[in-house]
Amino acid sequence: MFLHIYPHNGVPIYDQIARQVKFAVADGALKAGEAVPSVRELARELAVNPNTVARAYRTLQEDQVLLPLRGTGMMVRQDAEPRCREERLELVRERLRQALREALESRLDPQELRTLVMAELEQLREEATK
Amino acid sequence: MFLHIYPHNGVPIYDQIARQVKFAVADGALKAGEAVPSVRELARELAVNPNTVARAYRTLQEDQVLLPLRGTGMMVRQDAEPRCREERLELVRERLRQALREALESRLDPQELRTLVMAELEQLREEATK
Amino acid sequence: MFLHIYPHNGVPIYDQIARQVKFAVADGALKAGEAVPSVRELARELAVNPNTVARAYRTLQEDQVLLPLRGTGMMVRQDAEPRCREERLELVRERLRQALREALESRLDPQELRTLVMAELEQLREEATK
Amino acid sequence: MFLHIYPHNGVPIYDQIARQVKFAVADGALKAGEAVPSVRELARELAVNPNTVARAYRTLQEDQVLLPLRGTGMMVRQDAEPRCREERLELVRERLRQALREALESRLDPQELRTLVMAELEQLREEATK
DNA sequence: GTGGTCTAGACCACG
DNA sequence: GTGGTCTAGACCACC
């Protein structure tokens, strides 16, 4: 599981985990029927408290993404992938929309803004590929 | 004062206020020496708690944007505009970067993402101009 | 708020709280727009941990019964009552069904069972009215 | 052995098994001296983990219902039946009482509740006989 | 070992 | 003051 946690960026850690698990399912990196790491294991890996992971997993159960298997961990629900694919777009879109809305309302020059967005996008892609 | 508050978008209200005041100064909508609305007046206008506005104004004092006038409210500091212009770019850029980073990490198809960003930008501009 | 908590009867405390809040809304004992006790206050009153109450309240938010008011507590949603009235019947029915199913499967004499149910019902009503 | 397991109804599986074995003894479906299925056999039949069955059997030993036979499984104790008959009534009564108490405390109309109980009882009996 | 429940308490954000 | 978040750790049920 490759999750990137940014501890103090305003988004609760449990929410970051839940979103990224959905992204992984949407992407096929986590497949239906596949087991996710145990609460304790993921907590250790991310260096966060087990209860924080547990809360993320509880949210994911409520959102029909994970299924608890008594005593054996949790697995991705069979029907989770299409739901996650749709939700991924919405989650990403909503966050982008908020950032873009603020950017526009800041009265930055529209052309400057457009350039800024593209530059950031390019820069982040380069960071990612290196 | 034309401020747009989004109560439950994850950004604290006092922070939304402070940021938008900076944007207004950067833009020249609020000029050096100009008085800002009183705490209670702005609170009424935005339908938020006066303490929330007070906290935003306190932050703006600390950030060298506002200056208290003896008993008569606050005004924009003479030297605030260039500082706000610089900070505006940083504030907007940082939020965009966070949203774009998550979008990229969600493994949405890069082309799809690029299209999404542009579509949202266009849609928001249309909303704004209507 | 008159809630009866039975600490170790197999039903988690947070679930007992959530169910009984729904019952109170269904009954009109808690009306739409009315504030519920704060997390800390109810925790003290029931002699349980605040986090236990917080979890119950979180569930009630997810179930569209309560609405958080920033800094001022939580209130019953305007549209909660009909939903709670319907759900109350389901919640009660489901638990009764489980108990009755086990009773029948225990092969107690059906006539004896019927008598038992009525006797218990009567006895509990007397306890309640005294 | 005709046991009905309901995996996620709040009652631990091992407890469901233990209770139903007692019911079977009370009913005479399991007679004194009769052998019960082996742990792994019953586990297969119920599609549960063998350790779960083992735990139920351990409880039943402690409750003086089963007796281990050297290496050959377990049998019903000679004196188990009357004890189970008494306990059955108590077990069933207690669960009914809990469900009925909640139902009364939910402030459902008493007449409505009475009707509900009878309707559920009737419906379950029909299900059972078909 | 697993997840579920609960407690205790710190700290923050908000009003 | 409020609720939200997070940590730390106990205990239980289940496997």
Side-chain angles (χ1 to χ4, degrees), chain A:
Chain A
M1 292 270 289
F2 297 137
L3 304 187
H4 300 268
I5 300 300
Y6 304 93
H8 290 121
N9 75 129
V11 182
I13 293 174
Y14 74 86
D15 201 25
Q16 295 186 44
I17 296 173
R19 292 169 75 94
Q20 292 185 34
V21 167
K22 287 175 183 173
F23 295 162
V25 173
D27 187 43
L30 272 177
K31 293 193 185 339
E34 194 173 339
V36 292
S38 77
V39 167
R40 289 164 172 82
E41 185 186 342
L42 187 54
R44 194 165 10 86
E45 186 181 331
L46 300 180
V48 300
N49 186 285
N51 278 339
T52 304
V53 177
R55 171 146 189 204
Y57 279 9
R58 189 169 70 238
T59 302
L60 288 165
Q61 282 180 63
E62 289 161 359
D63 289 353
Q64 324 278 332
V65 175
L66 295 185
L67 206 60
L69 303 175
R70 315 244 288 204
T72 58
M74 294 196 183
M75 54 167 272
V76 178
R77 283 178 58 144
Q78 294 299 333
D79 55 355
E81 199 221 328
R83 205 179 301 113
C84 285
R85 288 191 72 84
E86 287 174 28
E87 200 177 353
R88 170 172 62 171
L89 196 59
E90 273 320 299
L91 291 171
V92 166
R93 189 208 303 276
E94 184 52 30
R95 293 202 91 195
L96 279 172
R97 195 197 302 263
Q98 284 182 15
L100 290 170
R101 179 181 287 124
E102 189 195 49
L104 281 166
E105 288 177 357
S106 82
R107 301 267 180 180
L108 268 179
D109 174 75
Q111 188 52 40
E112 190 175 358
L113 175 57
R114 192 189 172 89
T115 305
L116 176 62
V117 172
M118 284 301 123
E120 289 298 322
L121 195 48
E122 200 50 40
Q123 183 182 335
L124 288 166
R125 286 192 56 190
E126 283 175 18
E127 282 181 22
T129 54
K130 81 181 173 191

Side-chain angles (χ1 to χ4, degrees), chain B residues 41-58:
Chain B
E41 184 186 341
L42 185 55
R44 189 166 23 81
E45 186 181 327
L46 300 180
V48 303
N49 187 295
N51 283 333
T52 305
V53 177
R55 173 155 186 191
Y57 279 8
R58 181 159 27 92

Side-chain angles (χ1 to χ4, degrees), chain D residues 21-35:
Chain D
V21 168
K22 288 174 182 173
F23 295 162
V25 173
D27 186 46
L30 271 179
K31 293 193 185 337
E34 194 173 341

